[in-house]
Amino acid sequence: MSLMKVTRGFCLALAASAVFASAPSALAETITVTDIAGRTVEVEKDPSAIVLGEGRMIYSLALLDRDNPFERVVGWKDDMILYDPDAWRKYEEVFPGANDIQRLGSPYSDEWNLEAVISSGTEVVFMNLGNLLKAQESGIIEKLEAAGVATIFVDFRQDPTQNTVPSIQLLGRILDERDNADAFTDFYNAQMKRIYAKVDRIPVEDRPVVFIERAAGYNPNKCCGTFGSANLGRLVELAGGLNWGSRKFPGFGGNVSLEAVFADDPAVIIGTGANWAEANPETTAVLFGYEATEEAVQQRLSALAEREGWPELQAVKNGRFHSIYHQFYNSPYHFVAMQAFAKWLHPDLFEDLDPDATMHELHERFLPIGYSGVFWGSLNKGS
């Protein structure tokens, strides 16, 4: 008997046990949806037990299940705990029960605890579109399907400006929180249009070349990762800039040599950072997040700008050296990053734009946690 048959038989047996143990769910409504991968999936509406393929999906879930975004979650990956500990502690303070949620590892690796997923009565697993190929290659979708567990792909990372609204609407439909989904997507569209309405007026020759240094300083001995015309690279373009990486990469992004960046001497440099000090104590990144301070942000920005050769770049000399919260790249809140970009690239045109006020409104209207900390910054002139 093949390993696949053994695994599938085991899953089916567990699934049968789970169905028997939760017989009342037979009365639950099943709906048919098309997920962001274009797959047609039958899924239980308003499920009581879900698993998150990435812990940072809480950024989205919190917009919908506002009373307690962890209430339905029976398992997740611990990436938010490791790579955005400020946000984790913020949520943990309000929802201490989140500590009891099973940490299942990556759904695409052998470490993932499929038995725990099934025995927890999981009705649906949410995964990130960026990992669709990994999921297909690992066979996890078929294993879950055989066990009666639906798999739904959403996307806030591969093509966030196209897929955020349909992803939120899809989640709202499945979780039966459509009013909250509608309210947030209205807010999202309004915030994006504040930029779209003005960018078309900017001639190409007035759009500065922008280099995004992805995870700047995460590994002090490595440079540089950047984005192509996707994710934050796309946000730069939509905010009125010319993304340097779009000329180098047809896809999501990649690594480039420091020499190539120095040779082109881009007008604007934007690094990304987050509190990675707990996951990587050696990091010199800007530790943005809910616990960050302006003073600490300036210290880290100054250190990055003082790396060998960097003080000679025009962006550093001209006060156009910035950094932003890395986790915006995988979050429905990326419109805040786009507003910061627009203000940096065209300060006169977007004088009335206030990303800090937008961040306040986001938290006050849509999130169960308060706003604190620092999420973007610019190197002070003279630093």
Side-chain angles (χ1 to χ4, degrees):
M1 185 178 291
S2 70
L3 178 61
M4 178 65 75
K5 287 181 178 177
V6 170
T7 304
R8 178 162 297 195
F10 172 71
C11 293
L12 287 169
L14 280 174
S17 301
V19 169
F20 179 77
S22 56
S25 67
L27 300 175
E29 179 183 356
T30 298
I31 59 175
T32 302
V33 301
T34 302
D35 73 4
I36 305 303
R39 302 164 55 251
T40 301
V41 184
E42 287 192 359
V43 58
E44 195 163 308
K45 184 179 179 181
D46 196 16
S48 59
I50 68 175
V51 164
L52 305 181
E54 286 191 8
R56 286 170 290 181
M57 289 180 178
I58 282 295
Y59 304 150
S60 309
L61 213 59
L63 300 165
L64 304 171
D65 281 341
R66 296 179 195 170
D67 290 339
N68 184 354
F70 299 93
E71 188 170 13
R72 313 171 195 249
V73 182
V74 297
W76 66 340
K77 187 181 172 187
D78 59 359
D79 51 289
M80 187 171 87
I81 297 170
L82 292 174
Y83 301 114
D84 195 5
D86 295 18
W88 162 240
R89 284 189 281 269
K90 197 87 173 175
Y91 277 101
E92 183 188 27
E93 183 179 357
V94 181
F95 307 105
N99 265 307
D100 299 329
I101 296 173
Q102 300 175 92
R103 300 175 188 180
L104 302 169
S106 170
Y108 324 107
S109 71
D110 292 338
E111 67 178 359
W112 205 51
N113 193 336
L114 181 61
E115 180 181 351
V117 172
I118 298 170
S119 63
S120 298
T122 304
E123 293 145 300
V124 56
V125 176
F126 292 104
M127 295 188 184
N128 195 312
L129 181 67
N131 290 316
L132 174 62
L133 183 59
K134 288 182 183 176
Q136 291 171 329
E137 290 178 344
S138 71
I140 191 61
I141 300 172
E142 288 78 11
K143 291 174 186 174
L144 288 167
E145 184 179 354
V149 180
T151 304
I152 296 288
F153 285 89
V154 295
D155 179 40
F156 303 99
R157 185 163 60 197
Q158 292 301 107
D159 195 353
T161 54
Q162 293 298 312
N163 288 337
T164 288
V165 168
S167 292
I168 291 291
Q169 289 292 332
L170 178 63
L171 287 168
R173 188 176 170 201
I174 294 171
L175 301 178
D176 200 20
E177 292 289 356
R178 298 191 76 166
D179 287 348
N180 285 344
D182 289 346
F184 174 75
T185 54
D186 283 349
F187 180 68
Y188 173 92
N189 287 330
Q191 296 304 321
M192 296 291 276
K193 287 186 183 301
R194 295 178 70 185
I195 302 168
Y196 292 155
K198 294 183 177 179
V199 162
D200 286 347
R201 303 180 211 163
I202 305 171
V204 172
E205 59 269 24
D206 291 342
R207 300 183 181 217
V209 174
V210 181
F211 173 66
I212 303 176
E213 187 184 359
R214 180 176 177 174
Y218 180 83
N219 184 337
N221 300 314
K222 283 183 68 176
C223 184
C224 303
T226 193
F227 292 94
S229 187
N231 201 282
L232 296 186
R234 181 63 179 148
L235 295 190
V236 162
E237 294 166 346
L238 293 173
L242 301 175
N243 180 47
W244 185 88
S246 299
R247 304 174 180 179
K248 310 291 182 182
F249 303 100
F252 194 81
N255 295 319
V256 296
S257 70
L258 198 53
E259 290 75 16
V261 179
F262 284 3
D264 286 353
D265 194 11
V268 180
I269 296 175
I270 301 173
T272 72
N275 185 358
W276 294 313
E278 294 165 41
N280 176 19
E282 303 301 318
T283 188
T284 58
V286 184
L287 307 181
F288 289 118
Y290 288 95
E291 298 170 6
T293 66
E294 295 283 0
E295 181 181 8
V297 165
Q298 278 303 316
Q299 288 174 350
R300 292 278 179 148
L301 267 170
S302 296
L304 289 175
E306 289 168 4
R307 289 173 289 177
E308 185 177 358
W310 290 73
E312 303 307 315
L313 296 175
Q314 60 170 325
V316 175
K317 291 178 178 176
N318 297 334
R320 306 192 82 181
F321 188 82
H322 314 283
S323 192
I324 197 142
Y325 177 55
H326 181 84
Q327 308 302 349
F328 280 135
Y329 96 118
N330 190 21
S331 155
Y333 321 148
H334 55 255
F335 54 85
V336 182
M338 193 164 147
Q339 291 188 357
F341 291 174
K343 209 165 176 67
W344 287 335
L345 303 183
H346 304 283
D348 294 335
L349 186 62
F350 292 103
E351 186 177 9
D352 62 336
L353 208 54
D354 185 350
D356 195 55
T358 302
M359 198 70 162
H360 272 284
E361 186 175 358
L362 168 68
H363 284 75
E364 288 171 2
R365 289 183 57 192
F366 301 102
L367 294 176
I369 59 171
Y371 179 37
S372 63
V374 183
F375 291 81
W376 56 87
S378 302
L379 180 67
N380 289 337
K381 289 181 179 177
S383 295

